Amino acid sequence: MPGGPPACRRSRRPRSQALVDLRPVYHRLEERIRTHVVLCWLALLLIRIVETTTGQTWPTVRREFDRIHLGTFTGAAGLFRQVTALTKPQTDLLAKLSVPTPKQIITLEPEPPLTSTNTSA
């Protein structure tokens, strides 16, 4: 197989390309260019902190956290927002990062009772 197995080819890619989606960004003002560079640097710093704290690669951590979803449910009784139940790997990652686990029920809004208005004169 030319270039070796796919995993080997991926490992030869520059590390920044494997971690973040790089595409051209066109800024004209110097302040915007500087701001963009600082934001990219902060994102990369955050990735490195997560990797060193958890001992796992960023794609692995991101894949685990991408599985956490917030569902919004509405019905006759009202509205509630609920987070999916956390798996053991997700709970372990949050603990290693010293991030508190989210509440399972985020919002609970009962439907207000209907009030009848008396329009008879």
Side-chain angles (χ1 to χ4, degrees), residues 31-110:
E31 180 181 338
R32 289 186 181 176
I33 294 169
R34 288 182 187 278
T35 302
H36 180 84
V37 169
V38 168
L39 285 174
C40 291
W41 181 81
L42 286 172
L44 191 57
L45 178 64
L46 182 61
I47 287 171
R48 295 290 180 252
I49 290 170
V50 168
E51 286 181 331
T52 56
T53 304
T54 63
Q56 296 186 26
T57 64
W58 175 246
T60 302
V61 173
R62 185 174 151 197
R63 190 171 33 254
E64 281 301 325
F65 286 152
D66 277 347
R67 294 180 178 143
I68 301 173
H69 297 283
L70 175 67
T72 301
F73 305 93
T74 58
L79 171 135
F80 74 95
R81 291 187 173 92
Q82 176 178 347
V83 175
T84 53
L86 297 179
T87 62
K88 174 115 174 70
Q90 291 166 345
T91 306
D92 293 344
L93 284 171
L94 290 171
K96 284 181 182 178
L97 294 168
S98 301
V99 174
T101 57
K103 298 183 298 183
Q104 187 148 11
I105 302 293
I106 303 296
T107 306
L108 186 58
E109 299 174 3

